[in-house]
Amino acid sequence: MKLIIQIPCYNEEDSLPVTLKALPDKINGIDEIEVLIIDDGSTDKTAEIAKNLGVKHIVSMPHNCGLAKAFVAGINKALALGADIIVNTDADNQYCADDIEKLVKPILDGDADMVIGSRPVSKIAHFSPLKKFLQKLGSRVMRLLSSTDIEDAPSGFRAFSRNAAIQLNVFDNYTYTLDTIIQAKAKGLQLKCVPINVNPDLRESKLVKNIFDYVRRSMFTMVRMFIIYRPFRFFAILAGIFFTAGVLIGLRFLWFYTFGSGSGHIQSLILSAILIIIGVQIGVIAIVSELLSINRKLLEDVQRRLKLQDLKKN
């Protein structure tokens, strides 16, 4: 059983040595542990330091492509290297490396395909009260949208089985954390959360530079992924809102019409007709989107088979 720990890096020459030193050498049930560095266009000595510290596998991005693309590059490389389990962690040593064993255990036991480390958000000293509130709110919204019980949706401390890694796609250019949850659930993969610890803050987050911009991007990602993987539900809910509003306004008009004052409320009849028509049209979109979703599932199955063939050749 081979475990590859991948670490996306962007100008991490100061924190990377601390992160690498903390990584475990042995884990029960794991035969091999290897480290993979994804150098996301660093302008400092990140790659050089990684080599000097004995890291054999380094993926160098042509320029700073962002966390999501670095994550995908790492997953693809780890699969090519024959990883049975892939653990993703941050280069700033935010997550306690001793908890990697907690992450991989559910996969080793066959209880999960993807495991997310749940941080004690309320107890993290360097998180402001606003950030703690927004983290919890975001995770609650994600649980609602994804129909999962994930407690810490933004956590990047994750373990993936080989099967899960082959199937996952990342559409967002900003981060991979949110869309992979909805996607994994939609594909029937087993998700699990395990409690983890965090280390003292070594530096400020490079991903969350502005909390409100992060919230905006996160909400957009969640809604977009919900539309992609649950299009019928999304458009059906929208259609229901318009149709119901149209019917209620129509009933209001009938009430006045029944008691002889309908002529003064003709605008309600027009609005009712418009809303009902819009509702019906969105309902048609819901059906069409579901058909497109079925086609996407077939294409993803073809993609998975092609990936398996390519990996077997390599």
Coordinates of all heavy atoms in Angstrom, one line a residue, residues 99-139:
D99 N -1.8 13.6 12.4 CA -3.1 13.2 12.1 C -3.3 12.6 10.7 O -4.5 12.2 10.4 CB -4.1 14.4 12.3 CG -4.2 14.8 13.8 OD1 -4.1 13.9 14.6 OD2 -4.5 16.0 14.0
I100 N -2.3 12.5 10.0 CA -2.3 11.8 8.7 C -2.8 10.4 8.8 O -3.6 9.9 8.0 CB -1.0 11.9 7.9 CG1 -0.7 13.4 7.5 CG2 -1.0 11.0 6.7 CD1 0.6 13.6 6.8
E101 N -2.3 9.8 9.9 CA -2.8 8.4 10.2 C -4.3 8.3 10.4 O -4.9 7.3 10.0 CB -2.0 7.8 11.4 CG -2.3 6.3 11.6 CD -1.3 5.7 12.6 OE1 -0.5 6.5 13.2 OE2 -1.4 4.5 12.8
K102 N -4.9 9.3 11.0 CA -6.3 9.4 11.2 C -7.0 9.5 9.8 O -8.1 8.9 9.6 CB -6.7 10.6 12.0 CG -6.4 10.5 13.5 CD -6.9 11.7 14.2 CE -6.6 11.7 15.7 NZ -7.1 12.9 16.4
L103 N -6.4 10.2 8.9 CA -7.0 10.5 7.6 C -7.1 9.2 6.8 O -8.1 8.9 6.1 CB -6.3 11.5 6.8 CG -6.5 13.0 7.2 CD1 -5.7 13.9 6.3 CD2 -7.9 13.4 7.3
V104 N -6.0 8.4 6.8 CA -5.9 7.3 5.9 C -6.6 6.0 6.5 O -6.9 5.1 5.7 CB -4.4 6.9 5.6 CG1 -3.7 8.1 5.0 CG2 -3.6 6.5 6.8
K105 N -6.8 6.0 7.8 CA -7.4 4.8 8.4 C -8.8 4.4 7.8 O -9.0 3.2 7.5 CB -7.5 4.9 9.9 CG -7.8 3.6 10.6 CD -7.8 3.8 12.1 CE -8.1 2.5 12.8 NZ -9.3 1.8 12.4
P106 N -9.7 5.4 7.7 CA -11.0 5.0 7.1 C -10.9 4.4 5.7 O -11.7 3.5 5.3 CB -11.8 6.3 7.1 CG -11.2 7.1 8.2 CD -9.7 6.8 8.1
I107 N -9.9 4.9 4.9 CA -9.7 4.4 3.6 C -9.1 3.0 3.6 O -9.5 2.0 2.9 CB -8.8 5.3 2.8 CG1 -9.5 6.7 2.6 CG2 -8.5 4.7 1.4 CD1 -8.6 7.7 1.8
L108 N -8.1 2.8 4.5 CA -7.5 1.5 4.7 C -8.6 0.4 5.2 O -8.5 -0.7 4.8 CB -6.4 1.5 5.7 CG -5.1 2.2 5.3 CD1 -4.2 2.4 6.5 CD2 -4.4 1.5 4.2
D109 N -9.5 0.9 6.0 CA -10.5 0.0 6.5 C -11.7 -0.2 5.5 O -12.6 -1.0 5.8 CB -11.1 0.6 7.8 CG -10.1 0.6 8.9 OD1 -9.1 -0.1 8.8 OD2 -10.3 1.3 9.9
G110 N -11.7 0.5 4.4 CA -12.7 0.4 3.4 C -14.0 1.1 3.8 O -15.0 0.8 3.2
D111 N -13.9 2.0 4.7 CA -15.1 2.8 5.1 C -15.3 4.1 4.4 O -16.4 4.7 4.6 CB -15.0 3.1 6.6 CG -15.0 1.8 7.5 OD1 -15.6 0.8 7.0 OD2 -14.4 1.8 8.6
A112 N -14.3 4.5 3.6 CA -14.4 5.8 3.0 C -13.5 5.9 1.7 O -12.6 5.2 1.6 CB -14.0 7.0 3.9
D113 N -14.0 6.7 0.8 CA -13.2 7.0 -0.4 C -12.4 8.3 -0.3 O -11.4 8.6 -0.9 CB -14.1 7.0 -1.7 CG -14.8 5.7 -1.9 OD1 -14.1 4.7 -2.2 OD2 -16.0 5.7 -1.8
M114 N -13.0 9.2 0.5 CA -12.5 10.6 0.7 C -12.7 11.0 2.1 O -13.8 10.9 2.7 CB -13.1 11.5 -0.3 CG -12.7 13.0 -0.1 SD -13.5 14.0 -1.4 CE -13.7 15.5 -0.6
V115 N -11.6 11.4 2.8 CA -11.7 11.7 4.2 C -11.2 13.2 4.4 O -10.2 13.6 3.9 CB -10.8 10.8 5.1 CG1 -10.9 11.1 6.5 CG2 -11.2 9.3 4.8
I116 N -12.0 13.9 5.1 CA -11.7 15.4 5.3 C -11.3 15.6 6.8 O -12.1 15.2 7.7 CB -12.8 16.3 4.9 CG1 -13.1 16.1 3.4 CG2 -12.5 17.7 5.2 CD1 -14.3 16.8 2.9
G117 N -10.2 16.2 7.1 CA -9.9 16.6 8.4 C -10.6 17.8 8.9 O -10.6 18.8 8.3
S118 N -11.4 17.6 10.0 CA -12.2 18.6 10.6 C -11.5 19.4 11.7 O -11.2 18.8 12.8 CB -13.5 18.0 11.1 OG -14.3 19.0 11.7
R119 N -11.2 20.6 11.5 CA -10.4 21.4 12.4 C -11.3 21.9 13.6 O -12.5 22.1 13.4 CB -9.8 22.6 11.8 CG -8.8 22.3 10.7 CD -8.6 23.6 9.8 NE -9.7 23.9 9.0 CZ -9.8 25.0 8.2 NH1 -8.8 25.8 8.1 NH2 -10.9 25.2 7.6
P120 N -10.8 22.1 14.8 CA -11.6 22.7 15.9 C -11.6 24.2 15.7 O -11.0 25.0 16.3 CB -10.7 22.3 17.1 CG -9.3 22.2 16.6 CD -9.4 21.7 15.2
V121 N -12.5 24.6 14.7 CA -12.5 26.0 14.3 C -12.7 27.0 15.5 O -12.1 28.0 15.5 CB -13.6 26.2 13.2 CG1 -13.8 27.7 12.9 CG2 -13.3 25.4 12.0
S122 N -13.6 26.6 16.4 CA -13.9 27.5 17.5 C -12.7 27.8 18.4 O -12.6 28.8 19.1 CB -15.0 26.9 18.4 OG -16.2 26.8 17.6
K123 N -11.7 26.8 18.4 CA -10.6 26.9 19.3 C -9.3 27.4 18.6 O -8.3 27.5 19.3 CB -10.3 25.5 19.9 CG -11.4 25.0 20.7 CD -11.1 23.6 21.3 CE -12.3 23.0 22.1 NZ -12.0 21.7 22.6
I124 N -9.4 27.8 17.3 CA -8.2 28.2 16.6 C -8.0 29.7 17.0 O -8.8 30.6 16.6 CB -8.3 28.1 15.1 CG1 -8.5 26.6 14.8 CG2 -7.1 28.6 14.4 CD1 -8.7 26.3 13.3
A125 N -6.8 30.0 17.6 CA -6.6 31.3 18.2 C -6.5 32.4 17.1 O -6.9 33.5 17.3 CB -5.3 31.3 19.1
H126 N -5.8 32.1 16.0 CA -5.6 33.1 15.0 C -6.7 33.4 14.1 O -6.6 34.2 13.2 CB -4.3 32.8 14.2 CG -4.4 31.5 13.4 ND1 -4.0 30.3 14.0 CD2 -4.8 31.2 12.2 CE1 -4.1 29.3 13.1 NE2 -4.6 29.9 12.0
F127 N -7.9 32.7 14.3 CA -9.1 32.9 13.5 C -9.9 34.0 14.3 O -10.1 33.9 15.5 CB -9.9 31.7 13.4 CG -9.5 30.7 12.3 CD1 -8.3 30.9 11.7 CD2 -10.4 29.7 11.8 CE1 -7.9 30.0 10.6 CE2 -10.0 28.9 10.8 CZ -8.8 29.0 10.2
S128 N -10.3 35.0 13.5 CA -11.1 36.1 14.1 C -12.5 35.6 14.4 O -12.9 34.6 13.7 CB -11.1 37.3 13.2 OG -11.8 37.0 12.0
P129 N -13.3 36.2 15.3 CA -14.7 35.7 15.5 C -15.5 35.7 14.2 O -16.3 34.8 14.0 CB -15.2 36.8 16.5 CG -14.0 37.2 17.2 CD -12.9 37.2 16.2
L130 N -15.2 36.7 13.3 CA -16.0 36.8 12.0 C -15.6 35.6 11.2 O -16.5 35.0 10.6 CB -15.6 38.1 11.3 CG -16.3 38.2 9.9 CD1 -17.8 38.2 10.0 CD2 -15.8 39.5 9.3
K131 N -14.3 35.3 11.1 CA -13.9 34.1 10.3 C -14.4 32.8 10.8 O -14.8 32.0 10.1 CB -12.3 34.1 10.2 CG -11.8 33.0 9.3 CD -10.3 33.1 9.1 CE -9.8 32.1 8.1 NZ -8.4 32.2 7.8
K132 N -14.5 32.7 12.1 CA -15.0 31.4 12.7 C -16.5 31.3 12.4 O -17.0 30.2 12.0 CB -14.8 31.5 14.2 CG -13.4 31.4 14.7 CD -13.3 31.5 16.2 CE -11.9 31.4 16.7 NZ -11.7 31.5 18.2
F133 N -17.2 32.4 12.5 CA -18.6 32.4 12.1 C -18.9 32.0 10.7 O -19.7 31.2 10.4 CB -19.3 33.8 12.5 CG -20.7 33.9 11.9 CD1 -21.7 33.3 12.6 CD2 -20.9 34.7 10.8 CE1 -23.0 33.4 12.1 CE2 -22.2 34.8 10.3 CZ -23.3 34.2 11.0
L134 N -18.1 32.7 9.8 CA -18.3 32.4 8.4 C -17.9 31.0 8.0 O -18.5 30.4 7.1 CB -17.5 33.5 7.6 CG -18.0 34.9 7.6 CD1 -17.0 35.8 6.9 CD2 -19.4 35.0 7.0
Q135 N -16.8 30.5 8.6 CA -16.4 29.1 8.4 C -17.5 28.1 8.7 O -17.8 27.2 8.0 CB -15.2 28.8 9.2 CG -13.9 29.5 8.8 CD -13.1 28.7 7.7 OE1 -13.6 27.8 7.1 NE2 -11.9 29.0 7.6
K136 N -18.1 28.3 9.9 CA -19.2 27.5 10.3 C -20.4 27.6 9.4 O -21.1 26.6 9.1 CB -19.6 27.8 11.8 CG -18.5 27.4 12.8 CD -18.9 27.7 14.2 CE -17.8 27.3 15.2 NZ -18.2 27.7 16.6
L137 N -20.8 28.9 9.1 CA -21.9 29.1 8.2 C -21.7 28.5 6.8 O -22.6 27.8 6.3 CB -22.1 30.6 8.0 CG -23.3 31.0 7.1 CD1 -24.6 30.5 7.6 CD2 -23.3 32.6 7.0
G138 N -20.5 28.6 6.3 CA -20.2 28.0 5.0 C -20.3 26.5 5.0 O -20.8 25.9 4.1
S139 N -19.8 25.9 6.1 CA -19.9 24.5 6.2 C -21.3 24.0 6.3 O -21.7 23.0 5.8 CB -19.1 24.0 7.4 OG -17.7 24.2 7.2

